[in-house]
Amino acid sequence: MADGKSSEREVCLEEILRSLGRVEQKLDQLQINTGGEICHQPNTAREKVTCKVRCTVISLGLIDTIKQEFWAEIYLTVQWKEDKLKGIACKNVDWNDYWDPQLYFVNAGKINHREQWHTILPRGDGSTDVKLSIRMRATFKTLMKLHWFPFDCQELTIKLMSDWPVQFLEFKNDRNIKDCIRTDTFTGSHEWILHDHVIAVPLREEKEKTGSINEFPHYHISMNVQRRYAHYLWNLVLVIFMLMVLSFSSFSIPGENADARFGVTVALLLTAVAYKFIVNTKLPMIPYLTLMDRYVLWSLVIHALMVIQNALCLVLSGLVSKMYLIDYVSIAVLGGIALTVNVSFAIIGVIKTREADAKMKENCLEYEKIYAHTLNGATTITNGNHAVPVINTNVDVLHLEQMA
């Protein structure tokens, strides 16, 4: 009897230990996801802290138009003044005892990996800065503007925010080292053209949109990509155009055989409808028509008018002797509509492509203008108690900071 009770207690204890193990795993995962920093000291001086932000996009990957998201690996640094750490070695600091900007990424979805570390940077005037470095791989949500699909260009934005109100923290762009993006690691080059500039802008959120009594500082890091439209022209537009042209082949059938003509036109109409569904699979559910949607819908209108014309010929075949006159007028009207639709689509495509090219060139020039003074510049990081000068390259800065 005693042995039975003892075995039951052992089973119960084993179950409790397994449950505690699962809880411990969850807590460890939570600590990893939050960077290991649970709470932070407030800014006792109650002064506004200026945080200088700099970002390198190490890799840009999957850009999903339907889900409106993209994958990126980034290296972000945030630097602010902290005189309390003057003369203290970085390895001797418990960062939970010092002020922290309390950052998070507003539009980050799934975070695959995140690591962060601190570096102490002595300044030339005797004060001390702290640099928080974050390296992460994640999927970010973005709202794409698809009005001119497939001749569109998109702005992919990573949104950074602090939990401190704007009275206590402000973001600024770190102009000492320029923000940059590596184009050689871009894995979506088969569908997109990635431009080699990063647009970083500090913003303040609007109270009307958030419903909060406080305003919080935001920092947006944007990359520009331009869609390669050749795939859509060859596989969708060309096929729809050919179906539109083939629909006029029904006029080769004599008007007396209007039933045969009607069958050909309806078959082509159903094929065009099937291609409309294919176009829908390339786009998210959006409340407006894209340029491709308008082109496909106009092609369906032409097919529908062709069916109506054939139906009228079928009704009037026994009443009108000169059916060929109706065919000539129909060919002229429908041909004019088809020509207008296709020429308009081509002209809009050329205009939007040139506008996108001009916008990208303007962004590149502005980017180079902003960071012109950083060319051949250098920065310093702390390795132990020594400041080490580093040439302005992303890889050197990243590796040397990890060594520090």
Side-chain angles (χ1 to χ4, degrees):
M1 191 73 168
D3 293 340
K5 291 183 178 179
S6 177
S7 61
E8 289 179 2
R9 284 196 295 270
E10 290 178 357
V11 171
C12 184
L13 286 173
E14 289 178 359
E15 183 62 30
I16 292 172
L17 290 174
R18 282 195 294 269
S19 300
L20 290 174
R22 288 193 293 268
V23 171
E24 185 179 8
Q25 290 178 357
K26 294 291 186 182
L27 291 174
D28 290 341
Q29 186 63 41
L30 180 62
Q31 185 177 13
I32 292 171
N33 291 339
T34 56
E37 299 184 357
I38 307 303
C39 59
H40 304 281
Q41 293 295 321
N43 180 18
T44 54
R46 307 295 289 177
E47 296 176 354
K48 180 180 287 189
V49 179
T50 300
C51 292
K52 296 181 180 180
V53 185
R54 181 248 176 179
C55 181
T56 295
V57 181
I58 301 172
S59 179
L60 185 65
L62 176 66
I63 302 174
D64 194 325
T65 303
I66 297 176
K67 295 182 180 180
Q68 300 201 62
E69 63 183 23
F70 64 95
W71 179 92
E73 180 177 1
I74 64 170
Y75 169 64
L76 184 83
T77 64
V78 183
Q79 184 172 331
W80 65 93
K81 187 177 180 180
E82 184 59 89
D83 288 332
K84 293 180 181 179
L85 293 171
K86 184 177 180 180
I88 302 177
C90 188
K91 61 183 180 181
N92 298 326
V93 177
D94 183 358
W95 295 105
N96 290 327
D97 295 333
Y98 291 89
W99 184 87
D100 186 87
Q102 299 191 19
L103 306 175
Y104 72 95
F105 295 88
V106 179
N107 63 329
K110 181 180 179 182
I111 298 177
N112 304 105
H113 173 77
R114 172 170 173 166
E115 59 178 320
Q116 64 184 48
W117 62 94
H118 292 80
T119 310
I120 299 175
L121 304 175
R123 301 174 64 176
D125 58 0
S127 59
T128 304
D129 281 359
V130 173
K131 179 185 285 186
L132 172 63
S133 301
I134 301 173
R135 182 166 182 169
M136 66 181 293
R137 292 190 295 270
T139 300
F140 299 91
K141 296 291 184 180
T142 186
L143 183 61
M144 294 187 177
K145 298 177 181 179
L146 299 167
H147 296 83
W148 306 111
F149 173 86
F151 304 103
D152 57 318
C153 59
Q154 299 297 333
E155 189 173 81
L156 308 178
T157 303
I158 298 172
K159 299 179 180 179
L160 181 68
M161 179 181 170
S162 171
D163 276 336
W164 292 107
V166 294
Q167 296 91 337
F168 305 118
L169 184 144
E170 65 174 348
F171 288 122
K172 284 188 177 180
N173 187 265
D174 188 351
R175 299 294 175 85
N176 294 320
I177 308 177
K178 68 179 181 179
D179 299 317
C180 58
I181 182 170
R182 292 190 58 173
T183 57
D184 59 325
T185 58
F186 181 47
T187 59
S189 56
H190 60 286
E191 188 178 356
W192 301 89
I193 299 171
L194 175 62
H195 294 271
D196 59 350
H197 60 263
V198 177
I199 302 172
V201 181
L203 299 171
R204 292 173 63 172
E205 65 181 2
E206 300 178 11
K207 289 184 180 180
E208 294 78 10
K209 294 183 179 180
T210 62
S212 174
I213 60 174
N214 292 316
E215 291 183 70
F216 296 92
H218 287 245
Y219 192 84
H220 289 187
I221 304 159
S222 302
M223 298 80 69
N224 291 117
V225 291
Q226 195 170 350
R227 194 184 302 273
R228 296 184 186 272
Y229 51 81
H231 167 80
Y232 301 96
L233 294 185
W234 289 114
N235 294 281
L236 291 177
V237 176
L238 180 61
V239 175
I240 294 170
F241 172 75
M242 291 174 65
L243 291 174
M244 202 182 304
V245 172
L246 287 174
S247 65
F248 286 88
S249 65
S250 63
F251 289 107
S252 63
I253 302 173
E256 292 77 13
N257 298 328
D259 51 347
R261 178 188 290 185
F262 190 78
V264 171
T265 308
V266 170
L268 291 171
L269 173 61
L270 294 176
T271 306
V273 170
Y275 263 85
K276 172 59 179 162
F277 285 107
I278 293 175
V279 172
N280 288 342
T281 62
K282 304 289 184 181
L283 296 169
M285 297 180 65
I286 48 180
Y288 54 84
L289 293 177
T290 67
L291 179 62
M292 179 67 79
D293 287 330
R294 292 196 288 268
Y295 180 74
V296 174
L297 288 175
W298 270 109
S299 72
L300 291 177
V301 168
I302 292 171
H303 284 288
L305 291 175
M306 198 77 71
V307 171
I308 293 173
Q309 194 274 347
N310 294 163
L312 289 175
C313 289
L314 185 62
V315 173
L316 299 175
S317 58
L319 303 176
V320 179
S321 58
K322 297 181 179 180
M323 292 295 297
Y324 63 90
L325 293 177
I326 297 178
D327 286 346
Y328 288 159
V329 174
S330 300
I331 291 172
V333 174
L334 295 175
I337 296 174
L339 181 63
T340 302
V341 169
N342 286 280
V343 170
S344 299
F345 180 82
I347 292 174
I348 292 174
V350 171
I351 292 173
K352 292 303 172 183
T353 301
R354 290 184 176 180
E355 286 181 356
D357 291 339
K359 181 180 178 182
M360 295 304 105
K361 288 180 181 178
E362 182 181 349
N363 288 342
C364 285
L365 290 174
E366 184 66 22
Y367 171 76
E368 295 298 334
K369 180 181 177 181
I370 290 174
Y371 294 104
H373 71 283
T374 66
L375 196 62
N376 299 322
T379 185
T380 60
I381 66 172
T382 301
N383 188 0
N385 294 323
H386 303 285
V388 180
V390 180
I391 301 301
N392 187 8
T393 59
N394 309 323
V395 177
D396 290 340
V397 171
L398 181 58
H399 288 323
L400 288 175
E401 284 189 345
Q402 289 175 333
M403 289 170 57

